[in-house]
Amino acid sequence: MSKLISLDEYEKRALEILPENARDYYQSGAGNEKSLAWNRADFSNFRIRPKVLRDVSKRDTSVNIFNTKIEFPIGISPTAMQKMAHTDGETATAKAAANENVIAIFSTIATTSIEDIAAAAPNSIKWFQLYIYRDRKLTENLVRRAEAAGFKALVLTVDAPLFGLRRRDLKNKFSMPPHLKLANFQDVVLSMDGSGINEYVARQFDQSISWDDVKWLMNFTNLPIILKGIMTKEDARLACKLGVSGIMVSNHGARQIDNTASSIEALAEVAAEVKDEIPIFFDGGIREATDILIALALGAKMCFIGRPVVYGLACAGQEGVEDVIRILKREFDLAMCLAGVKNVSEINRDMVVHKNYYARL
Ligand SMILES: Cc1cc2nc3c(=O)[nH]c(=O)nc-3n(C[C@H](O)[C@H](O)[C@H](O)COP(=O)(O)O)c2cc1C
């Protein structure tokens, strides 16, 4: 295999390798996939303004997240069912994240259990992504297990009362291959039963979830809670008011409602509202380090990647995920150097402009 040198190359190779069912599930967005295209394309609407002659010989790429120093502002977003990409699935991701010292978020609907993920990488920083099930006892039990296994934060996904209209999955009648299981659940009722993921979600997830459920969660866990899927200033304000520990600006990889703003478009609106009250995390369309620079300049504290990790897994398991992260790290260090910043805190709003700025001059 010739050396892959960018996240785009990993994607291309993975899409050649993956079977159609899994490939479509990982790749697809909602509806006509307009927001999916925008998630990528809208980074091109921003222009970086590099500063020169700043002595960038010593650079510090680290950030402080919940009182822990993290070497790079790059983390792993939760993606479900990673064993469809590689037999080692979430275990490989956890080990890669540990070796590369990045935060990794693991999905409720993973193919490896909370406990097995923790055992694979006991000392890494793991966050648990939570869906709220109709059965609140079961939901609470997931939280307790994540706490006991040493997960350091809960990432509550708030944009998925149902799953979006994913036409490729409809066409394929997407369901998990029978040899895999949703490993966080023993109960056969909570398996997919060959019925397809949308039916599973409609049966099990609670469409009635509201801000009261966030309060409910905050009342029984001491873990920091991050709301994933905030796309407007109004919701960002409610999140701050409630006292959550952080929010993630994300349109769920454009898999929920089509025609939403891209994640990067929504970021500036949310950041203007939140300012420094709570940390803003970001995902959606990050494929190279200049994307990270732009997102940080627009107000994100740290960026996460979803599909690129799955594609790294598909290409080369743990080694593939590590390589994907290493590529981004190298690119990010170089981008900081060339943009004229010595540390991440120097990346501020002045560093990028919308491209229209140049037309108005
Ligand atoms: C295959 C796949 C599965 C996903 N599964 C979950 C999930 O279980 N929970 C969740 O909150 N988000 C899930 N997401 C959304 C990701 O966490 C993330 O928001 C998105 O992938 C970021 O965009 P990117 O893929 O362009 O980096 C999934 C995304 C993909 C592509």
Side-chain angles (χ1 to χ4, degrees):
M1 180 165 109
S2 69
K3 177 113 185 87
L4 302 173
I5 58 152
S6 67
L7 271 52
D8 285 345
E9 286 194 3
Y10 265 97
E11 171 165 351
K12 191 163 171 281
R13 176 71 55 85
L15 296 178
E16 288 162 6
I17 297 170
L18 286 164
E20 188 184 26
N21 193 46
R23 185 192 65 210
D24 284 350
Y25 172 69
Y26 290 142
Q27 193 183 21
S28 61
N32 277 340
E33 304 189 338
K34 283 175 276 185
S35 298
L36 182 64
W38 298 337
N39 261 8
R40 232 4 254 127
D42 284 355
F43 282 98
S44 301
N45 291 335
F46 296 96
R47 306 283 190 257
I48 293 167
R49 303 172 66 241
K51 300 282 173 60
V52 297
L53 300 173
R54 299 289 159 114
D55 182 359
V56 286
S57 55
K58 291 195 187 71
R59 297 178 294 281
D60 179 1
T61 55
S62 69
V63 281
N64 191 298
I65 306 291
F66 302 142
N67 298 321
T68 303
K69 185 177 167 183
I70 310 286
E71 228 181 287
F72 278 85
I74 299 165
I76 297 179
S77 283
T79 50
M81 298 177 255
Q82 295 183 359
K83 281 191 180 170
M84 285 195 316
H86 188 275
T87 45
D88 296 340
E90 292 83 2
T91 306
T93 303
K95 288 180 178 166
N99 285 348
E100 289 303 321
N101 191 21
V102 296
I103 296 171
I105 312 173
F106 291 95
S107 172
T108 293
I109 50 176
T111 38
T112 310
S113 71
I114 292 170
E115 292 76 14
D116 287 348
I117 290 170
N123 299 320
S124 67
I125 304 179
K126 298 168 289 294
W127 293 354
F128 182 67
Q129 179 269 321
L130 183 71
Y131 284 122
I132 294 191
Y133 281 68
R134 290 171 193 258
D135 181 342
R136 291 297 195 281
K137 264 269 148 268
L138 174 140
T139 312
E140 186 177 341
N141 189 37
L142 286 168
V143 173
R144 296 293 179 226
R145 287 169 59 194
E147 289 171 341
F151 283 68
K152 294 278 183 273
L154 292 175
V155 178
L156 176 65
T157 299
V158 291
D159 60 8
L162 284 173
F163 272 2
L165 177 65
R166 301 175 196 165
R167 293 200 173 100
R168 293 196 240 176
D169 290 347
L170 283 176
K171 196 154 234 132
N172 297 336
K173 294 196 178 53
F174 172 77
S175 188
M176 220 168 32
H179 68 283
L180 297 178
K181 60 178 183 29
L182 295 182
N184 283 324
F185 308 101
Q186 304 291 328
D187 195 336
V188 61
V189 176
L190 287 167
S191 82
M192 247 184 246
D193 281 343
S195 61
I197 192 156
N198 290 329
E199 290 78 0
Y200 171 83
V201 167
R203 250 192 346 260
Q204 302 295 347
F205 289 13
D206 194 344
Q207 292 166 50
S208 78
I209 64 164
S210 69
W211 292 94
D212 286 341
D213 292 288
V214 183
K215 281 189 214 154
W216 167 76
L217 189 59
M218 290 170 76
N219 274 336
F220 75 80
T221 182
N222 290 326
L223 288 178
I225 293 170
I226 298 152
L227 301 186
K228 174 174 182 283
I230 298 291
M231 289 287 287
T232 63
K233 59 179 187 232
E234 293 83 357
D235 282 345
R237 175 54 37 219
L238 287 170
C240 289
K241 236 165 122 181
L242 217 53
V244 295
S245 302
I247 56 175
M248 187 181 281
V249 171
S250 168
N251 63 10
H252 207 119
R255 292 159 76 82
Q256 288 302 94
I257 179 159
D258 201 11
N259 261 80
T260 52
S262 59
S263 291
I264 197 66
E265 259 180 340
L267 178 59
E269 169 183 326
V270 170
E273 179 67 33
V274 172
K275 302 201 173 68
D276 287 329
E277 280 180 58
I278 52 173
I280 300 172
F281 304 104
F282 175 87
D283 77 18
I286 298 273
R287 298 293 180 271
E288 56 187 335
T290 44
D291 302 335
I292 299 174
L293 210 63
I294 291 166
L296 297 188
L298 292 176
K301 179 102 183 150
M302 185 162 169
C303 294
F304 288 76
I305 49 171
R307 292 179 185 84
V309 167
V310 175
Y311 297 146
L313 270 181
C315 291
Q318 178 184 338
E319 177 53 41
V321 178
E322 286 174 11
D323 197 37
V324 160
I325 296 164
R326 281 196 299 261
I327 289 171
L328 270 188
K329 283 180 172 178
R330 275 197 304 272
E331 289 186 1
F332 184 69
D333 178 59
L334 177 64
M336 269 185 46
C337 176
L338 298 179
V341 289
K342 289 187 277 295
N343 52 58
V344 173
S345 62
E346 289 174 16
I347 302 172
N348 57 31
R349 190 62 188 83
D350 291 345
M351 199 163 183
V352 297
V353 286
H354 192 273
K355 66 180 181 192
N356 291 346
Y357 163 83
Y358 292 103
R360 289 197 304 265
L361 296 177

